[in-house]
Amino acid sequence: MPDPVSNHIPDKTRKTRPPELSRSARLHALLASQELEFILEAHNGISAKIVERTGFKGIWASGLALSAQFGVRDSNEASWTQIIDMLEFMSDATSIPILLDGDTGYGNFNNMRRLVCKLEQRHIAGVCIEDKLFPKTNSFIDGKRQPLADIDEFCGKIKAGKDSQRDDDFCIVARIEALIAGWGLAEALRRAEAYHQAGADAILIHSKRSRPDEIIAFANAWDNRCPVVIVPTKYYSTPTAVFRKAGISLVIWANHMIRSSIESMESISQQIMAEQSLTGIEDQIASVDHIFALQGADELRRAQERYLNPATETQALVLAASRGHSLYELTEDRPKAMLTIGGVPLIRRLVDEFREQSVTAVTVIAGYKAEKLAAAGFDLCINEDYQDTGELVSLASALDKFTDDMIITYGDLLFRGYILRDLLESTGDIVIVVDSARHVPVSDPPDYAYCSQEDDRALFMAEVTLKHIAERKKLDSGEPSGRWIGMLKVNATGRAQIEAAIAELQQQPDYRQLSLPDLINHLLAGGKTVNVHYINGHWLDVNTLDDLDKAADFTHGQS
């Protein structure tokens, strides 16, 4: 069945294709495969999508994991309707077959009939039921004290399910608890034969021992009368080759997604609690954009483009025309922006940071060895006269790329992603980023920023404006408020102001040598407002050999 989310928008060019096998048919094929097959646990829509994207052919909707994500015990405390509701989200999010861990079938034969009906309505491929009494308790909790269902009653439940299914390939897997309950191999085989005769499509044989001996003994005695499914949670160290040799059909990795997520959440929550900050963990966890991707945000974006008026796209202009003479022979055959940090060019890291914040329209303004910057992922604009001109001429060479929502930045910057994110969310016609940290060593003369207010970190994103930028401290202005890092954002009004300022500055005799700070100071002198977004560290510009060493540490999470 096609993914119902990713195919909302009709594709009129799509050719007619043969119908795909149903999910039930694909699960049936996994059970009947001559190769050992594997499925992995999932417990909600996003974990199910991850399982599919990883490459698994099927999903195990684990009773333990489903109850855990609801925060209740694995003892039928979550109702079967709540389980069905979650399965619907999982089914909508994926296209591979889902096998439900259906406990005991949530009641007697009549409950089983209704369960199969509701599962098929939601395109669930099959259900596994276990021969214990309702309400059940997880097999690994006092397993030997748990009574087993009457064989005839359980066979009736299997028959009721098979009689109720509309898809001939819908799978019912009978799970045998005899080994868990201590009843031995003979009883497990007796039950397996009865369940097979009642119509079960496969037998799941379960064990809580740390070695697979009794599982292998069962498989050998059963001799493939119908497919055998196992759950090696306890005997996890067994080589997979052992299962292949024994003729096992399907291995279920039954609870590892929920267990890994719990460990990660506990670790991250403890770190946030201890540090009272997010800066230490942001690079360790999935980005919000990654979540958006799993949720199908791209499909929604395409739908918005089709059905709504498109919003203005943010443009990034990156000044990368210089060689970087302070880096000596390292830039003899390439511009500074192509130096590699941890095997990745500076410009690639910068473009990737933009992409992380959904800024996909990037123009790199090149000069020295411009041909080295030609790469997929950004447009290229060339300042042919880069040797004899300053930054403002480079920026002016890209005037045709200006948009009403724009980031302008130097091409030698490394920074934590939150800096760009917060800048994009800031308000003001023109906003520059100023680092108020006074302990940060610099290799080149900094662009000192003198602002209307010092950085009060208790007032995040307070209304602060720029007075002027200076390469040297101005003794008559007191101490600077911080250092401009070489990044600014403009909106439609700011764009118009910058275009007008460039036109005015082009009439000056020193225009060809002017820098971005000169442009900003000209705007301020003309009465324009430039807002300040304060940060406190977590960035680096690469100007010297020493900076390269610092950059290597920076990209490994040190700042």
Side-chain angles (χ1 to χ4, degrees):
M1 175 182 175
D3 185 333
V5 173
S6 63
N7 287 275
H8 280 166
I9 299 176
D11 182 357
K12 296 180 179 179
T13 66
R14 187 182 297 158
K15 296 181 180 179
T16 303
R17 294 178 296 183
E20 295 180 354
L21 291 175
S22 71
R23 302 190 199 196
S24 293
R26 281 180 276 152
L27 177 59
H28 203 279
L30 287 177
L31 292 170
S33 173
Q34 297 301 307
E35 301 293 330
L36 180 62
E37 303 287 356
F38 305 90
I39 63 175
L40 179 64
E41 168 262 317
H43 47 275
N44 54 25
I46 200 162
S47 61
K49 184 163 283 190
I50 290 170
V51 170
E52 179 173 25
R53 286 192 172 195
T54 304
F56 282 92
K57 299 177 184 178
I59 294 167
W60 171 247
S62 160
L64 169 62
L66 285 166
S67 61
Q69 65 92 30
F70 283 123
V72 299
R73 289 174 286 254
D74 187 20
S75 301
N76 293 125
E77 293 185 6
S79 71
W80 76 273
T81 55
Q82 290 173 315
I83 298 296
I84 291 291
D85 286 344
M86 183 56 73
L87 285 171
E88 184 170 1
F89 282 103
M90 294 170 65
S91 178
D92 286 348
T94 57
S95 61
I96 58 177
I98 298 173
L99 174 61
L100 169 65
D101 177 6
D103 296 338
T104 63
Y106 308 109
N108 65 10
F109 76 92
N110 195 43
N111 301 89
M112 181 66 176
R113 293 194 299 182
R114 185 162 175 79
L115 174 64
V116 171
C117 175
K118 293 303 177 183
L119 291 177
E120 286 197 302
Q121 287 175 359
R122 289 156 178 79
H123 307 287
I124 304 303
V127 61
C128 176
I129 58 172
E130 57 193 81
D131 56 356
K132 290 193 298 194
L133 301 182
F134 178 86
K136 73 103 181 196
T137 301
N138 188 279
S139 300
F140 296 143
I141 303 175
D142 293 332
K144 289 189 177 182
R145 299 182 184 179
Q146 298 178 28
L148 299 186
D150 176 79
I151 290 180
D152 290 338
E153 185 272 338
F154 194 73
C155 285
K157 198 180 294 187
I158 295 172
K159 292 175 182 176
K162 296 304 292 182
D163 288 345
S164 301
Q165 68 188 59
R166 295 187 178 184
D167 185 338
D168 290 340
D169 290 309
F170 183 85
C171 299
I172 294 181
V173 178
R175 172 167 152 175
I176 298 171
E177 295 287 296
L179 300 179
I180 291 279
W183 289 30
L185 179 61
E187 179 63 14
L189 289 166
R190 187 169 78 91
R191 286 175 175 265
E193 181 58 32
Y195 303 160
H196 175 43
Q197 294 301 323
D201 297 287
I203 298 296
L204 191 157
I205 185 67
H206 208 19
S207 172
K208 63 188 301 183
R209 293 185 181 178
S210 60
R211 292 176 57 86
D213 299 21
E214 57 184 4
I215 294 294
I216 301 304
F218 175 90
N220 290 336
W222 182 245
D223 196 27
N224 280 317
R225 277 174 269 179
C226 76
V228 175
V229 181
I230 62 171
V231 183
T233 301
K234 290 294 185 179
Y235 47 98
Y236 60 86
S237 61
T238 304
T240 304
V242 172
F243 305 145
R244 287 194 174 94
K245 185 176 180 181
I248 303 300
S249 296
L250 182 69
V251 172
I252 298 174
W253 311 120
N255 46 50
H256 300 82
M257 294 288 277
I258 190 74
R259 286 163 59 190
S260 62
S261 65
I262 288 172
E263 181 180 15
S264 177
M265 287 190 288
E266 286 180 339
S267 173
I268 292 297
S269 63
Q270 289 165 6
Q271 187 173 347
I272 293 174
M273 181 67 178
E275 297 178 358
Q276 298 184 355
S277 171
L278 300 178
T279 55
I281 60 94
E282 187 61 34
D283 293 339
Q284 302 176 35
I285 60 178
S287 67
V288 175
D289 282 345
H290 190 179
I291 297 176
F292 289 159
L294 290 170
Q295 291 172 315
D298 283 348
E299 186 279 331
L300 179 59
R301 178 184 54 78
R302 293 192 299 271
Q304 288 172 332
E305 291 173 355
R306 181 180 178 89
Y307 302 121
L308 297 175
N309 292 325
T312 302
E313 184 177 25
T314 301
Q315 168 77 256
L317 296 179
V318 181
L319 300 180
S322 68
R323 169 180 174 173
H325 289 283
S326 298
L327 291 158
Y328 304 103
E329 68 273 7
L330 290 181
T331 56
E332 185 175 347
D333 63 344
R334 73 192 72 180
K336 178 167 61 171
M338 284 301 293
L339 289 177
T340 57
I341 310 295
V344 181
L346 265 171
I347 193 65
R348 183 77 263 159
R349 290 186 179 277
L350 189 58
V351 171
D352 287 346
E353 286 289 357
F354 281 123
R355 289 184 179 278
E356 283 292 316
Q357 302 302 328
S358 300
V359 179
T360 58
V362 179
T363 296
V364 176
I365 304 169
Y368 176 73
K369 301 288 183 181
E371 70 279 2
K372 299 287 186 177
L373 279 162
F378 54 80
D379 293 332
L380 203 61
C381 179
I382 299 177
N383 173 12
E384 300 285 1
D385 203 14
Y386 69 91
Q387 286 184 309
D388 299 316
T389 59
E391 297 160 355
L392 194 54
V393 171
S394 286
L395 180 63
S397 68
L399 277 170
D400 62 329
K401 298 290 187 179
F402 279 25
T403 65
D404 290 344
D405 192 3
M406 184 166 55
I407 296 287
I408 301 171
T409 184
Y410 293 147
D412 59 359
L413 285 183
L414 293 171
F415 51 86
R416 296 286 179 255
Y418 76 87
I419 294 176
L420 177 59
R421 180 204 64 202
D422 291 348
L423 177 62
L424 289 167
E425 294 177 358
S426 65
T427 57
D429 299 332
I430 302 173
V431 186
I432 71 167
V433 180
V434 173
D435 181 11
S436 63
R438 302 184 187 279
H439 62 277
V440 178
V442 295
S443 53
D444 275 3
D447 293 317
Y448 290 112
Y450 294 82
C451 307
S452 65
Q453 180 180 329
E454 296 300 305
D455 182 15
D456 182 352
R457 300 187 71 193
L459 298 174
F460 183 59
M461 288 192 172
E463 184 73 21
V464 181
T465 57
L466 182 68
K467 292 181 177 179
H468 57 265
I469 293 179
E471 286 189 3
R472 296 178 179 82
K473 291 184 179 180
K474 300 187 66 162
L475 297 179
D476 58 346
S477 299
E479 284 295 313
S481 306
R483 178 187 178 188
W484 180 48
I485 76 169
M487 181 184 294
L488 67 134
K489 187 196 82 164
V490 302
N491 63 14
T493 301
R495 169 193 175 172
Q497 292 173 354
I498 287 177
E499 288 177 344
I502 290 175
E504 293 167 3
L505 290 170
Q506 284 174 335
Q507 306 307 311
Q508 295 186 182
D510 60 348
Y511 162 68
R512 287 168 56 80
Q513 309 307 320
L514 295 181
S515 64
L516 283 190
D518 292 325
L519 170 66
I520 293 170
N521 285 332
H522 182 79
L523 289 165
L524 294 169
K528 304 300 187 290
T529 298
V530 176
N531 291 94
V532 171
H533 171 65
Y534 276 127
I535 62 171
N536 196 268
H538 299 135
W539 70 283
L540 179 72
D541 56 359
V542 180
N543 290 310
T544 66
L545 296 175
D546 186 47
D547 289 338
L548 281 176
D549 292 335
K550 294 176 185 176
D553 291 337
F554 186 91
T555 56
H556 284 85
Q558 302 172 14
S559 60

